[in-house]
Amino acid sequence: IHVTMKALIVVAAVVLLGCASALQQPAATNQFPTRRSILSLPPKAVIAAATGASSATIIFTPSTANAAKPNGLILDKSSESGLKWADAKQGTGQPLKPGMVASIDYSMASTVGRQPQIYTTKDKGVPYRWTLGDGSTIAGIELAILGSSGDDNSIPPMLPGGIRRVIIPANLGYQSILNEKDPKCIEGKDIGPIPPKNNSDGGYQRWYQFYCNPRIPYQPDIVLDIKLYGKR
């Protein structure tokens, strides 16, 4: 019995010494940022993600440049009006003139926000149509299609079949809506194009938040991909 008790005491002592040694060793440091730490970072933060001995740094800065070149199309051309543009595809034929009916498909995005993409007509089967110069459409789109004239002749007109990306500043966009006493913020009631209010994709809500919200007087630049059609 005495031998058994001594053996148990020795085993217990060994176990306790092992636990004490383990507690003295520093705990391994988790090299990866947690979801909570990432969400707490400011918009222009630098997020470092380490893997073993190496690390990678990702810088996210909401900007015109980020929104303007998701497919490598760099907008390095600008006019005196503030409009920036680049052609993804050259069209053919004759340019449109004021008073003619224009028909376009467009994809609209903002230069800010977590979801910059706002709305597109290209998969809806219903292009946006209006008469050039009738005041129903933002000046930035008409300038992109008709081109500039006079002293500012840096923007050539689009030709049917062409695809052009433009960045439209607020003064050529929806800024006039905020100057109205009672803006309706609905297609056909205010300057367009405006995403359909009854569409389930959330495009109208995103557009309203950026461009027809009286509580937010600042309007970010608009990024538009425009495909111009001929007579349809």
Side-chain angles (χ1 to χ4, degrees), residues 4 10 20-24 28 40 52 71 82 84 99 102 114 127 133 145 150 154 156 181 187 191 201 213 220-221:
T4 303
V10 171
S21 177
L23 289 172
Q24 291 175 357
S40 65
N71 61 359
K84 294 182 179 181
R114 292 183 178 181
I145 292 174
S154 57
K181 293 183 179 180
E187 183 70 62
I191 196 166
D201 62 4
N213 190 342
D221 293 348

Side-chain angles (χ1 to χ4, degrees), residues 48-65:
T51 55
S54 63
S55 64
T57 303
I58 303 172
I59 301 177
F60 173 70
T61 304
S63 68
T64 297

Side-chain angles (χ1 to χ4, degrees), residues 64-184:
T64 297
N66 289 341
K69 52 178 182 179
N71 61 359
L73 186 63
I74 301 175
L75 284 82
D76 57 358
K77 301 174 183 177
S78 60
S79 66
E80 293 180 7
S81 64
L83 186 87
K84 294 182 179 181
W85 63 276
D87 284 330
K89 179 183 177 182
Q90 296 284 347
T92 59
Q94 297 298 315
L96 300 183
K97 303 293 183 182
M100 299 177 67
V101 174
S103 180
I104 65 171
D105 269 325
Y106 70 87
S107 292
M108 180 188 296
S110 172
T111 53
V112 300
R114 292 183 178 181
Q115 289 184 311
Q117 183 66 35
I118 294 175
Y119 182 74
T120 181
T121 62
K122 65 182 181 180
D123 57 353
K124 305 296 188 298
V126 183
Y128 177 72
R129 294 170 61 89
W130 79 104
T131 300
L132 289 165
D134 67 0
S136 66
T137 299
I138 58 175
I141 291 182
E142 295 214 340
L143 183 58
I145 292 174
L146 295 173
S148 54
S149 59
D151 294 335
D152 181 15
N153 60 356
S154 57
I155 306 175
M158 290 186 69
L159 302 179
I163 299 174
R164 176 170 289 180
R165 173 167 294 175
V166 292
I167 297 181
I168 302 174
N171 63 304
L172 298 177
Y174 298 100
Q175 198 171 61
S176 62
I177 292 181
L178 297 181
N179 298 328
E180 299 176 12
K181 293 183 179 180
D182 184 26
K184 304 301 181 183

